[in-house]
Amino acid sequence: MNDGSRMVWRVEGMDCASCVAKVTTALGHVPGIANIEVNLMAERLSATVPPVSVAEVERQVRGLGYTITALPATGAAPSHAHGDHDDDPADLEKPWWNTGKARLVWLLGALVGGAYALSLLLPERFTYPLFLAATLVAVIPFGRRAVALARAGSPFSIETLMVTAALGATIIGAAEEAAIVVLLFALGELLENVAAGRARAGIRALASLIPRVALRLRGDGSTEEVAPERLAVDDLVLVRPGDRVPCDGLIVEGNSSLDESPVTGESIPVARGPGDAVVAGSINTDGALRLRVTRAAADNTIARIIRMVEDATASRAPTQRFIERFSRWWTPGAMVVSLAVILLTPFLFGWDWSTSLYRGLAVLLIACPCALVISVPAAMASGLSAGARRGLLVKGGAALEAIGAARTVAFDKTGTLTEGRPRVTDVIAVPGRTADEVISLAAGVEQGSAHPLAKAILVEAGTRGLALPPARDASAIPGKAVVAMLGERRVEVGSPRHAAERGVALGDLASTLERLEGEGKTVSVALIDGALLGLIALRDEPRPDAAAGIAALRAQGVNAVMLTGDNARTGAAIAASLSMSVKAELLPDDKLREIAALKAAGPVVMVGDGINDAPALAAASVGVAMGGGTDVALETADAAVLKDRVTGVSELVGLSRATMTNVKQNVAVAVGLKAVFLVTTLFGITGLWPAILADTGATVLVTLNALRLLAWKPPSA
């Protein structure tokens, strides 16, 4: 039983998935530690640790060559420039070419280059010690790390392979090649460092969207400059034309157009006025706005995006998990093959022992899995960062991989395919009642509800200047109706299906209901004390880009279906205008059954706005929240399209497929180069330094290929 507390550390120096595996394996041997989580992009380690083991955790991590700093358990790690394994924290703010890893590469390069230059003028006995010195300069830190990893449970590490091969080469008199081997290995580590720094820089760029200063309004109407971090919920903030919005908030005064492209990727400025929500990081283009802060800085949209992207990179895709499992067998297997080459080839092929030892060491270097291990996470991190820059948030590699494989995308209707801003078009009261009475009572029941239809009824009541009766004992019948007591009267507002189940006959209004639904309108039936009160018809128009979004999915070979709780006639009318199939009159449980049926034919993506969609989002292969959705949608969904555009879903599919294509290219390069050099090494065509170049070169190629994804743009852009 673990009685420890949750601890959080910042770990600097991790630059690939292999680093994460090393830290995790090492800490697995610490007594009492549990729930170990290592986040590469956030450079964060968290674990449940007994007080007596805290020092041992930090000793183990430092022994691996990383810098570790304790953080408050509830705090997030701040973003810094990427450092290296063996440098002090001051290196973390330096450019990559001035870090400890870079200085090691420059030193080795100078030693090797100087030795080669002198070898043209001096006898070998004078230049050989220089090659030997270059080898030992690098082998000492790498060897120290290899020993620490072996003690921590990772005897077959990349460092072990490299150190063994380099020392073996010096023993057989090939110090020149050994020096080049360690130089190329150090260069490969530096390149991984730079790649990780580039990926982290993409995340840090999001944080730069928050301005350094906010104008907080005082009680007397004057303003004071404060850091956005000091803004509290309900503070009033002035945002002038041209300013960046420093917080998430609601407009209390003013009208303007806001450029939300830095956050959502939506290129067209959107009009905002009193009562509308605005997000931190957007740009006010026109008039002055007064905002009421709705979220603290640590929980605003930008902060949440950064946390989601950082956490997403810690979630491994199935392909990445396979590569990591494969690499664990690859390294010890390669050492066995290398040993076989050394011991068996003299007897099988008549090689002399010097040749078999040399080629066996080369095989050992070819076995370094650096390029293979980094091939998948590098592409995934770039894909996730590229998506975040365009308002496409994906919570992990598994979701990113699954989206592109989807056979079907299921859409909720209201607020997803439609604008989510329905308006009341018709109010029909039963004889003896008035339209105002129907709206007033219905609005009384709906007050406090966040559903778009409820909001439309409340807006209609406000337009008519109606007073709302106080409600009590309000409750909802999922997918059917809302109910409340208004005074001593029980009022229900729900679907025609709910009225039928209550045994309420529509009488002369039945034909009116059929006509309204045939016009593509949603009709709510109002009941009072179990008797018919009237009908309220509402219409919610499809989003302007909905048809284009569905067509884009169809062009990608993905089927689209609408799942709605609305009546069949309304659902069919909207689906027909979008050229898609529809399943209507679905309760939440019915949606789950439809999702299960669709999943039987292949992966399914469910897209919703989060209102009543959380169960279906969770049940699908991948759940996508539209327009940022509600908080529950962002918690439940695997991805989010921050801009209110249906085309964003096809962009997610395109991003996923581009990322997986990049992954396949990387794996092919990493494995292909090794296969070529394995053959040339065994035939004596290439030697030690080309063997390590096979891995370093592959690391360079897969890193550059992965970084290409940072510039990914959807075809429509």
Side-chain angles (χ1 to χ4, degrees):
M1 181 176 177
N2 189 292
D3 58 354
S5 58
R6 194 70 177 168
M7 295 283 295
V8 182
W9 291 269
R10 181 175 178 80
V11 180
E12 292 103 352
M14 298 186 297
D15 46 33
C16 71
S18 174
C19 299
V20 173
K22 291 171 186 175
V23 173
T24 304
T25 301
L27 295 184
H29 293 78
V30 177
I33 194 168
N35 304 319
I36 302 167
E37 295 180 5
V38 183
N39 190 317
L40 174 65
M41 298 309 295
E43 298 181 295
R44 189 167 59 240
L45 160 67
S46 59
T48 305
V49 189
V52 295
S53 298
V54 171
E56 178 61 15
V57 168
E58 297 180 354
R59 189 187 71 80
Q60 287 278 0
V61 174
R62 290 194 184 100
L64 301 180
Y66 304 110
T67 302
I68 182 169
T69 308
L71 295 171
T74 56
S79 294
H80 294 292
H82 186 58
D84 77 280
H85 290 189
D86 300 302
D87 287 336
D88 59 59
D91 266 348
L92 300 175
E93 301 301 331
K94 295 179 180 178
W96 67 267
W97 45 264
N98 195 27
T99 60
K101 275 188 177 179
R103 290 195 295 271
L104 177 61
V105 170
W106 308 147
L107 175 60
L108 292 175
L111 287 172
V112 173
Y116 268 107
L118 290 174
S119 69
L120 300 175
L121 305 172
L122 301 174
E124 183 182 351
R125 66 178 182 275
F126 293 114
T127 56
Y128 187 85
L130 287 175
F131 289 114
L132 193 60
T135 303
L136 294 177
V137 164
V139 163
I140 289 173
F142 293 137
R144 188 172 64 238
R145 205 187 311 162
V147 171
L149 286 165
R151 288 177 175 173
S154 300
F156 300 112
S157 64
I158 297 167
E159 288 81 358
T160 300
L161 295 181
M162 193 280 300
V163 170
T164 302
L167 291 178
T170 59
I171 291 172
I172 64 174
E176 298 96 331
E177 292 191 76
I180 295 177
V181 163
V182 293
L183 171 60
L184 291 174
F185 185 82
L187 179 61
E189 284 216 325
L190 177 61
L191 290 170
E192 289 181 3
N193 187 308
V194 173
R198 285 287 301 274
R200 291 190 182 107
I203 297 174
R204 289 198 303 272
L206 293 170
S208 67
L209 296 177
I210 300 294
R212 295 178 181 271
V213 174
L215 296 177
R216 183 165 59 189
L217 287 162
R218 297 190 180 100
D220 60 2
S222 62
T223 62
E224 59 176 335
E225 293 188 352
V226 298
E229 295 79 19
R230 291 180 54 197
L231 293 175
V233 174
D234 289 334
D235 277 354
L236 293 177
V237 177
L238 174 65
V239 183
R240 300 166 302 189
D243 285 351
R244 275 193 193 276
V245 177
C247 59
D248 283 5
L250 288 175
I251 298 175
V252 295
E253 184 181 333
N255 290 275
S256 183
S257 293
L258 290 171
D259 177 5
E260 298 178 350
S261 60
V263 183
T264 67
E266 175 58 75
S267 58
I268 301 174
V270 290
R272 295 282 188 256
D276 288 338
V278 297
V279 294
S282 52
I283 302 170
N284 182 21
T285 62
D286 297 331
L289 298 174
R290 283 175 169 76
L291 312 179
R292 185 178 302 280
V293 179
T294 55
R295 282 198 180 101
D299 197 38
N300 67 28
T301 299
I302 298 294
R304 295 166 79 196
I305 291 174
I306 292 172
R307 283 198 297 271
M308 285 178 68
V309 176
E310 287 181 341
D311 292 343
T313 58
S315 171
R316 296 171 297 169
T319 301
Q320 182 177 341
R321 289 196 293 269
F322 170 76
I323 293 293
E324 290 174 359
R325 288 195 302 269
F326 178 74
S327 66
R328 284 198 291 269
W329 289 97
W330 169 293
T331 304
M335 296 187 80
V336 172
V337 172
S338 174
L339 191 61
V341 170
I342 294 171
L343 298 179
L344 299 181
T345 52
F347 302 102
L348 296 176
F349 304 111
W351 296 356
D352 59 72
W353 287 102
S354 176
T355 299
S356 68
L357 180 58
Y358 182 87
R359 294 181 185 177
L361 292 174
V363 169
L364 201 60
L365 290 173
I366 291 170
C368 284
C370 297
L372 186 62
V373 170
I374 200 176
S375 60
V376 180
M380 288 292 178
S382 293
L384 292 167
S385 296
R389 292 179 180 182
R390 298 192 165 275
L392 307 173
L393 295 184
V394 187
K395 289 189 177 179
L400 184 59
E401 183 172 339
I403 289 170
R407 299 280 299 276
T408 304
V409 176
F411 289 89
D412 175 53
K413 179 179 75 69
T414 304
T416 304
L417 288 172
T418 61
E419 293 180 336
R421 292 191 294 271
R423 59 183 182 83
V424 174
T425 59
D426 304 88
V427 182
I428 296 92
V430 297
R433 302 281 188 176
T434 65
D436 281 358
E437 189 177 6
V438 173
I439 287 293
S440 174
L441 293 173
V445 173
E446 298 280 15
Q447 55 190 318
S449 173
H451 194 282
L453 297 181
K455 290 181 178 179
I457 293 173
L458 289 166
V459 167
E460 181 67 16
T463 302
R464 293 172 180 245
L466 303 176
L468 304 187
R472 58 184 174 84
D473 299 333
S475 62
I477 304 172
K480 295 182 180 179
V482 288
V483 183
M485 296 298 296
L486 304 181
E488 298 303 317
R489 299 173 297 179
R490 175 186 170 91
V491 178
E492 304 165 63
V493 180
S495 65
R497 178 176 177 176
H498 172 70
E501 291 176 355
R502 294 275 283 123
V504 177
L506 298 183
D508 294 339
L509 295 186
S511 59
T512 303
L513 171 67
E514 186 173 345
R515 174 181 60 80
L516 293 171
E517 289 183 343
E519 295 171 357
K521 298 175 181 177
T522 299
V523 181
S524 292
V525 180
L527 309 178
I528 184 167
D529 292 331
L532 183 62
L533 176 62
L535 306 179
I536 303 172
L538 308 96
R539 182 158 51 202
D540 187 13
E541 299 298 331
R543 294 181 183 274
D545 74 318
I550 300 303
L553 285 172
R554 198 160 47 244
Q556 292 171 320
V558 181
N559 181 47
V561 60
M562 179 198 299
L563 303 181
T564 178
D566 213 335
N567 68 83
R569 281 187 289 269
T570 298
I574 293 178
S577 69
L578 301 178
S579 301
M580 64 188 301
S581 57
V582 61
K583 299 283 186 179
E585 299 184 6
L586 301 178
L587 298 176
D589 288 347
D590 298 326
K591 286 188 179 182
L592 294 181
R593 282 192 289 272
E594 291 294 337
I595 292 291
L598 292 170
K599 284 176 72 174
V604 175
V605 172
M606 174 67 195
V607 186
D609 66 354
I611 301 171
N612 298 329
D613 295 327
L617 291 173
S621 307
V622 179
V624 177
M626 268 283 291
T630 61
D631 286 342
V632 69
L634 286 175
E635 291 299 322
T636 307
D638 304 294
V641 178
L642 294 186
K643 53 185 174 184
D644 285 327
R645 297 179 67 83
V646 180
T647 49
V649 180
S650 67
E651 291 175 7
L652 270 177
V653 173
L655 174 64
S656 170
R657 292 180 178 178
T659 302
M660 294 313 299
T661 297
N662 194 284
V663 165
K664 293 170 185 174
Q665 293 167 345
N666 285 352
V667 172
V669 167
V671 176
L673 272 179
K674 289 182 182 299
V676 169
F677 277 89
L678 178 62
V679 172
T680 58
T681 297
L682 292 177
F683 280 94
I685 300 172
T686 55
L688 285 178
W689 73 264
I692 192 66
L693 183 62
D695 193 69
T696 302
T699 299
V700 172
L701 291 176
V702 301
T703 300
L704 292 176
N705 191 44
L707 291 176
R708 284 194 312 111
L709 273 175
L710 292 174
W712 175 86
K713 295 180 180 179
S716 59

